[in-house]
DNA sequence: AGAAATTTGTCCGTATGTATC
DNA sequence: AGATACATACGGACAAATTTC
């Protein structure tokens, strides 16, 4: 049965179950999760699907992975769920941007903002501006 | 946001950006490009689209791919180096930036601005903000 | 010291279902 | 209808880091 994804995708469902095991202590902090090969058997999912589930846990801070070693359950996660890493908005061109893009002041531009973190700390904020093509 | 392809197909736009990074030296010759999985995240594109973009670069000679290894940036590039203007200035943190960096409003930040041109046209303006560490 | 096994990382090709232009 | 693109999922193969024998 290849690939219906009604409701929730499989990798999310799998992530949920693994997260449960970590939060409940069934997989104690610092312990290794079962290898991907085992998880593919347990969940009868392709390796890619398993890896995607684990990627979710990493992003949420529930696990860390080391090449050749395995994936460890993270200790304590009191992390506030996602402080937006990236966002996009439209904004009118100010004088400088208007000059650069050679459009009139007030023309709608798209601003993408990306927050670059290193651990807890914000290292940089990158904002990319470009003209809105979506009206052509 | 599912799938407009105005003007240029998405995979071409992505190829453009990656080519830019190779030509500009942001990805040095011989270095590995980010993995397909990362690029899907970076560009918020489907894997198939990313792979198409990379295929374009391969055909153009900007990259070579090795199975199980990754995609390398090719040396070469006698092309005229991208016309990009850059400038730097200091500015006080506004409310949003202050919140992101967890500093007080008004704290001096460094803003780097890069103008990315393609021929005559300005394609994008990138502004990078970071805290001024030079006093640490 | 060295070979083998284990495990993660990455790419390859393919497939299904949905949505938009 | 067709092209483009997204999200999801499968299975396979090769590469690289680590552990085990």
């Amino acid at each position: 049965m290849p690939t219906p994804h009604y409701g929730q995708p499989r990798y999310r469902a799998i992530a949920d179950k693994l997260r449960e095991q970590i939060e409940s202590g069934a997989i104690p902090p610092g312990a290794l999760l079962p290898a991907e090969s085992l998880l593919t058997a347990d969940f009868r999912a392709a390796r890619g699907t398993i890896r995607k589930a684990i990627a979710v846990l990493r992003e949420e801070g529930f696990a860390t992975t080391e090449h050749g070693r395995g994936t460890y359950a993270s200790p304590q996660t009191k992390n506030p769920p996602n402080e937006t890493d990236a966002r996009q908005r439209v904004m009118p061109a100010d004088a400088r941007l208007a000059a650069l893009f050679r459009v009139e002041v007030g023309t709608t531009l798209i601003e993408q903002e990306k927050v670059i973190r290193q651990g807890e700390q914000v290292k940089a904020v990158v904002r990319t501006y470009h003209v809105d093509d979506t009206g052509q």
Side-chain angles (χ1 to χ4, degrees), chain A residues 102-130:
Chain A
R102 284 169 202 167
V103 298
E104 285 179 19
V105 173
T107 302
T108 62
L109 296 179
I110 294 178
E111 179 194 79
Q112 291 172 333
E113 184 181 81
K114 199 171 177 184
V115 179
I116 298 172
R117 286 192 171 79
Q118 194 159 54
E120 285 294 305
Q121 202 175 13
V122 174
K123 279 204 74 179
V125 175
V126 180
R127 288 179 182 165
T128 304
Y129 301 88
H130 54 89

Side-chain angles (χ1 to χ4, degrees), chain A residues 4-136:
Chain A
H5 51 279
Y6 308 110
Q8 193 180 226
R10 291 207 65 200
Y11 72 90
R12 293 224 172 257
I14 292 172
D16 288 347
K17 281 184 184 143
L18 290 175
R19 193 187 311 105
E20 234 171 61
Q21 292 182 47
I22 293 173
E23 284 190 309
S24 72
I27 302 176
L32 281 172
L33 270 66
E36 291 172 359
S37 55
L38 277 181
L39 293 175
T40 58
D42 288 353
F43 290 105
R44 282 189 202 132
R47 198 183 153 210
T49 307
I50 297 295
R51 285 177 60 75
K52 223 169 176 191
I54 292 176
V56 169
L57 298 183
R58 268 198 304 269
E59 279 169 24
E60 294 173 344
F62 285 101
T64 61
T65 300
E66 289 178 39
H67 189 172
R69 268 231 185 71
T71 297
Y72 295 90
S74 294
Q76 305 316 74
T77 49
K78 58 178 185 203
N79 275 9
N82 276 357
E83 278 190 61
T84 60
D85 281 323
R87 66 166 201 179
Q88 179 169 331
R89 64 170 183 147
V90 295
M91 47 99 67
D94 62 25
R96 169 153 182 85
L97 288 173
L100 286 171
F101 283 111
R102 284 169 202 167
V103 298
E104 285 179 19
V105 173
T107 302
T108 62
L109 296 179
I110 294 178
E111 179 194 79
Q112 291 172 333
E113 184 181 81
K114 199 171 177 184
V115 179
I116 298 172
R117 286 192 171 79
Q118 194 159 54
E120 285 294 305
Q121 202 175 13
V122 174
K123 279 204 74 179
V125 175
V126 180
R127 288 179 182 165
T128 304
Y129 301 88
H130 54 89
V131 294
D132 180 12
D133 296 68
T134 63
Q136 240 64 325

